[in-house]
Amino acid sequence: MQPFSGMSLLKRGLSGQRGWTAQWRHPEPRHAYDVIIVGGGGHGLGAAYYLASEHRVGSIAVLEKGWIGGGNTGRNTTIIRSNYLFPESAALYDHALRMWESLAQALNYNVMFSPRGVLMLAHTVHDAQVFQRHVHANRAAGVDNEWLTAHEAQRFCPLLKISDIRYPVLGAALQRRGGTARHDAVAWGYARAADALGVDIIENCEVTGIRLDGAGAVEGVDTTRGPIRAARIGVAAAGHTSVIMKMAGVALPLESYPLQALVSEPVKPVFPCVVMSNTIHAYISQSDKGELVIGAGTDAYTSYTQRGGLHITSHALEAICELFPMFRRLRMLRAWGGIVDVTPDRSPIIARTPVPGLYVNCGWGTGGFKATPGSAHVFAWTIAHDAPHALNAPFTLERFRDGDLIDEAAAAAVAH
Amino acid sequence: MLLIDCPYCGERPEPEFVHGGQAHVTRPARPAEVSDEVWADYLYLRANTRGVHAERWRHTHGCGRFFNALRDTTTDQFLATYKVGEAPPAPAAAQARP
């Protein structure tokens, strides 16, 4: 791996950018690995990186059916925050947020983490009370979150219209450490760092079956590029996790929904932070390219199509135009969908499964990007130790049977 | 946006409907007598089918009635809609429908 530094960039810059080598190899799959990760998104690539850098589990491969970072890692709106209500969630997401803060240094790759502040708007008395409860719960748990009046929110985000609209802004919760990162760079940075540690990243390699031995433990996978043996398999396949896990006879409490986002034409820097509104359902930030990145809600029905209905994105744009009237004349450039795997309690599952040697990291629903480093880190731990890390111990598959739900859906009005 | 063929009202646009989740999920007759696993499966486990999926819809802004549909989740194409209580049509037969 050629390390990036100010000096190396200057040197290549002055010599016509010649001499850079590929950032990761494109190896042919071997017949066997010690650990296989299914899914080459941020969570899977990150897990491979931490397995190689912290746990030394032997040979590792990441199998990706398309190209790395081409699923939800490349399709989300890149919002990062950790102000979840319950202690289990706040601890997990804040673990991730602390890792974001030094990820570029750890990977020697600029993931463009930008803690510009995430503002969550309250439009009703109920919103205001719930958010203030969040603020108190977060502060008690050591997670930064503060309550702003409507005028303070407007000072933080001057474009925001707080009155004379259908749902006036009554106040807002602000997490200053929250922000955005460059989604592709997260996949590429983990891929490059993992590859340098000997991880084989195998693209265009779809898993078509999981092989079990006589005792019911995993012994390998069948893929479109031939069978590959492995005694440990970690699945991080987002919206397709149900499909993969069914191959090993494991049924999961997941449903896959389309979630859409869109970007405007690029404009000069105009929007200083991230604004989210759960009540009128829209969220927005500005990318470093200048596009306004706008997220919509999920479509109503389960689907694997990676597209959704126009009325869903229109609804989000109506909310954006109401909150930020100056954006009414902007044209939208692109819209797309991703397939998100949603659990009944809107919390992830990062756990062992009933099949020995098979591990799963799924159920991130509409908000998995923010958790990428923390999720990958504890998933790697879980695979390496055949036991959960303290931070993901509550996020089991059995919690649904035992009634130990981490019910962020009902209590936190979580958006994305 | 989907065009949904309500068995009572005919084809209407998706915003008139509410999705009702997987169809043909049966509540255990005596919940107190089933194991935690069976009860959790009833509450939380869904097929999440990649392919032809039986699901409920309710024509909220129309007749107000629930009905069932077969839809291919890889294309979002409806293969058939049918009334509650009826058996799902065979996918092949449903596909032959114009």
Side-chain angles (χ1 to χ4, degrees):
Chain A
M1 180 174 88
Q2 291 174 310
F4 292 126
S5 65
M7 190 56 83
S8 74
L9 294 179
L10 185 66
K11 200 172 128 198
R12 307 279 180 202
L14 291 174
S15 58
Q17 302 293 356
R18 283 186 297 274
W20 293 113
T21 56
Q23 300 199 23
W24 54 87
R25 300 163 294 130
H26 290 279
E28 284 300 311
R30 284 188 238 160
H31 295 298
Y33 292 91
D34 292 305
V35 181
I36 285 175
I37 302 290
V38 181
H43 295 246
L45 292 164
Y49 168 71
Y50 294 114
L51 278 167
S53 63
E54 297 191 0
H55 301 292
R56 303 180 196 286
V57 290
S59 58
I60 304 165
V62 177
L63 309 184
E64 165 55 46
K65 72 172 174 176
W67 62 94
I68 61 167
N72 295 347
T73 297
R75 292 164 185 267
N76 70 89
T77 54
T78 79
I79 297 172
I80 294 167
R81 61 185 179 87
S82 66
N83 51 354
Y84 281 64
L85 178 63
F86 291 112
E88 297 91 339
S89 322
L92 182 63
Y93 287 99
D94 209 54
H95 178 55
L97 181 48
R98 285 194 303 273
M99 293 181 72
W100 278 115
E101 288 163 355
S102 59
L103 191 63
Q105 288 77 11
L107 299 179
N108 180 234
Y109 203 93
N110 187 2
V111 297
M112 295 161 76
F113 175 60
S114 165
R116 57 184 71 178
V118 176
L119 200 60
M120 299 173 76
L121 304 180
H123 300 274
T124 64
V125 171
H126 176 76
D127 278 354
Q129 291 172 344
V130 167
F131 285 3
Q132 287 176 31
R133 181 185 173 205
H134 265 69
V135 167
H136 295 313
N138 288 150
R139 291 168 73 116
V143 173
D144 78 302
N145 198 1
E146 62 192 273
W147 176 252
L148 303 186
T149 65
H151 285 99
E152 287 168 342
Q154 197 180 40
R155 268 201 295 281
F156 189 76
C157 182
L159 271 52
L160 179 64
K161 187 165 181 173
I162 56 173
S163 56
D164 299 323
I165 54 177
R166 174 68 182 82
Y167 295 101
V169 175
L170 303 186
L174 170 65
Q175 186 173 30
R176 291 182 191 272
R177 288 162 64 227
T180 61
R182 172 91 164 97
H183 48 4
D184 292 327
V186 176
W188 299 338
Y190 273 126
R192 172 172 169 271
D195 178 87
L197 295 170
V199 173
D200 281 0
I201 294 162
I202 301 163
E203 296 174 290
N204 299 309
C205 182
E206 182 173 355
V207 170
T208 54
I210 296 179
R211 293 187 179 191
L212 305 181
D213 65 16
V218 294
E219 63 174 12
V221 292
D222 292 318
T223 76
T224 49
R225 296 177 66 172
I228 307 173
R229 289 196 310 278
R232 281 185 278 187
I233 299 170
V235 176
H240 282 71
T241 303
S242 301
V243 178
I244 301 282
M245 295 299 284
K246 228 170 263 176
M247 296 171 186
V250 178
L252 293 170
L254 294 175
E255 288 195 292
S256 297
Y257 291 91
L259 178 66
Q260 298 181 79
L262 59 170
V263 293
S264 73
E265 56 188 326
V267 291
K268 291 267 169 83
V270 67
F271 200 73
C273 58
V274 180
V275 172
M276 308 175 57
S277 169
N278 295 343
T279 299
I280 58 176
H281 215 124
Y283 39 104
I284 181 167
S285 65
Q286 187 173 22
S287 75
D288 291 342
K289 278 192 288 184
E291 300 162 332
L292 291 164
V293 183
I294 296 166
T298 51
D299 280 75
Y301 46 84
T302 59
S303 178
Y304 288 85
T305 57
Q306 294 188 320
R307 60 174 182 257
L310 187 61
H311 61 293
I312 302 290
T313 43
S314 301
H315 181 69
L317 290 179
E318 286 161 10
I320 294 297
C321 290
E322 180 98 331
L323 291 171
F324 307 103
M326 71 177 280
F327 292 156
R328 286 177 186 176
R329 287 184 295 162
L330 274 179
R331 284 163 295 189
M332 292 297 128
L333 207 58
R334 300 189 302 279
W336 62 90
I339 299 302
V340 299
D341 45 326
V342 177
T343 60
D345 62 359
R346 302 300 191 272
S347 289
I349 300 166
I350 317 165
R352 302 167 61 190
T353 69
V355 175
L358 184 63
Y359 308 86
V360 71
N361 184 355
C362 66
W364 289 98
T366 55
F369 178 75
K370 66 172 79 67
T372 303
S375 152
H377 184 247
V378 298
F379 191 41
W381 175 288
T382 305
I383 295 170
H385 293 84
D386 192 34
H389 186 281
L391 286 171
N392 67 310
F395 295 89
T396 62
L397 186 50
E398 291 76 25
R399 72 176 186 268
F400 299 98
R401 179 196 67 197
D402 299 338
D404 295 330
L405 302 187
I406 303 160
D407 200 0
E408 291 286 351
V414 200
H416 317 295
Chain B
M1 188 183 296
L2 305 178
L3 192 59
I4 303 175
D5 188 11
C6 170
Y8 304 98
C9 308
E11 289 190 334
R12 300 292 175 87
E14 183 192 338
E16 292 189 13
F17 297 85
V18 170
H19 186 254
Q22 186 182 329
H24 311 295
V25 175
T26 309
R27 188 176 196 270
R30 298 175 186 280
E33 293 172 16
V34 300
S35 66
D36 288 352
E37 282 80 5
V38 170
W39 185 243
D41 286 358
Y42 161 68
L43 286 180
Y44 300 125
L45 201 62
R46 297 293 177 264
N48 203 24
T49 308
R50 188 174 193 276
V52 178
H53 180 240
E55 65 192 8
R56 304 190 307 166
W57 287 87
R58 184 174 178 231
H59 194 186
T60 319
H61 299 290
C63 61
R65 283 194 266 195
F66 276 97
F67 60 91
N68 294 329
L70 290 184
R71 184 175 52 86
D72 186 336
T73 61
T74 61
T75 59
D76 290 338
Q77 187 187 359
F78 281 94
L79 305 180
T81 54
Y82 53 101
K83 294 175 181 176
V84 169
E86 292 177 0
Q95 260 162 345
R97 204 170 152 268

